[in-house]
Amino acid sequence: MARRLSMTTRRELITAVGERYRRSSRSGKQQILDEFLKLTGYHRKHAIRVLGREAQSPKARPGPRRRYNDEIRVTLITLWEAADRICGKRLKAVIPTLLESMNRYGHLSLADELRKRLLGISAATIDRLLRDVRQQAFGGQRKRAGGVGNAIRRAVPIRTFADWGDPLPGYLEIDLVEHCGGVKIDGDFVHSLVMTDIATGWTECLAMPFRNHAFVIEHVERIRAALPFPLRGLDSDNDTVFMNEGVFEFCRNTGIELTRSRAYKKNDQAWVEQKNGSIVRRLVGYGKLRGLKATETLASLYRVSRLYINYFQPSFKLKSKTRDGARVTKHYEAPLTPLERVLRSTSVPQATRQRLQEEFRALDPVELLHRMREAQRHVAECSAAGSGVTATKAADSEVPIEEFLTSLSTAWQAGEVRPTHGRKAASVHDWRTRPDPFADTWPKIQQWLETEPDVSAQQLQKRLTEMMPELYSGAQLRTLQRRVKAWRTNRARELVTRTLGADAVAAAAATRRQPPPQNNPKATITPE
């Protein structure tokens, strides 16, 4: 068996043996050929061809004569530099204007033939002629469009989930949630701006009619005044609504530290991402909201829910995490409300703590929950209607607080009580989407089933295929199996009902034939 040689080894062997093969006699060629076949495993005729072929010098590549010489390339480089190193498609469009302007001011004087070739050059040829020039000019790297957004991203430092440590209250993660109904289509939908404090879990949500950095700045200013602690920093993702000159200048002028997460790393914003699900989606659901009316309705829900969530909703906070191989063990602190964490923080002034405690004592959690349910009902109406609906239209159906309190003990029996999470009533599907393939032959199939109860659906399908091959094939087997199964189930139910009915009639007749019972059941009549 021949050895497996690489193509490089085979070429070297052909070069070394071929010259000696061509100079040898007939008997010598036969001996060399036998040895060559043992080494390479070639077919004998193929080996004769490759060994008898003399090495040829590479010929020039066929093709049309070169049209654009060095003179055109040098002129093209000058035009490219004059156009500020733009791409080939844009340069082709501006070449006539550049030639006319540079000729008018005496910067460039070209012969008619050279000018004609430059005007007829294609964009692909321009890129091909300037490929080496671009690589040297840009340092071997492709030039990418910078823009203001990229410059802002480079200026904003990256902060990962492991860089937080134990920060002071006031460092908030910020994110947007779009209420588009789960379908990404064109149009402006209502967005929720979510801000979560890392240290205390204090969460603020605001409604935006559409994505715009001006709304972000306005809402951050509003939250900054409402927070019980100073706003020290904002951490966002790489969205352009946050990474822009307006937000960057606002944070720099107000002394707010602006950081960003890594691209495609949602775990860097784990705190706000968790609130997106546990607060926003839990309150609002996944419906579609659009328009100013829906924005106002959602804003009214957030105004009530912020008090209920931050004052009466405890949350867990990770205390430590250890890894033992693939096993990760997490330990959490005792659940506390954001208010309790704020009150325990030593960086919060005493006057602020007293004000928060007074606000807490003045709040009724049942009343807040009742107002949240009413606001959720209005949001659900906006989502169902597809446009904003004023809250005054549904004011007549509001439940009194006493009745709402009474219903809390039995609300679990109704299942889901949040109006934004109610399921749509499923319509009854009582029509066929495809024609019945057994509409004409079903009486015949029933006759077969009556006479042969043990016949299988596969045997019935085979009979139908033999009788009418133009109508039936193996494609209808599964449908026939379901129909036969349903027919047999109905027949079994009829037999059971008929048997039970017969037994009941027999029992009633037997009861009528029995003598009436005696007054003393223990007394017996002895015949004399």
Side-chain angles (χ1 to χ4, degrees), residues 511-528:
T511 303
R512 288 194 298 269
R513 288 194 298 266
Q514 290 179 358
Q518 303 294 329
N519 293 333
N520 187 3
K522 296 183 179 180
T524 57
I525 301 175
T526 303
E528 297 180 356

Side-chain angles (χ1 to χ4, degrees), residues 33-72:
L33 189 61
D34 293 338
E35 296 176 356
F36 183 77
L37 292 177
K38 293 179 180 179
L39 290 175
T40 60
Y42 282 175
H43 191 273
R44 194 173 188 87
K45 288 295 184 182
H46 179 65
I48 293 174
R49 283 193 294 268
V50 297
L51 292 178
R53 185 187 307 148
E54 296 184 1
Q56 299 178 356
S57 58
K59 295 182 179 180
R61 186 176 180 181
R65 190 177 61 179
R66 184 180 178 188
R67 184 177 180 184
Y68 301 102
N69 52 21
D70 294 337
E71 184 180 3
I72 294 180

Side-chain angles (χ1 to χ4, degrees), residues 295-315:
T295 307
E296 296 173 0
T297 306
L298 184 60
S300 63
L301 172 60
Y302 285 150
R303 281 194 293 270
V304 180
S305 62
R306 68 175 296 270
L307 299 175
Y308 184 80
I309 292 169
N310 293 321
Y311 286 76
F312 298 100
Q313 286 286 293
S315 60

Side-chain angles (χ1 to χ4, degrees), residues 72 75-76 79 95 110 114-121:
I72 294 180
T75 307
L76 191 62
L79 295 174
I95 280 179
L110 301 176
L114 183 60
R115 181 185 181 90
K116 183 178 179 181
R117 290 189 178 183
L118 284 174
L119 292 176
I121 194 171

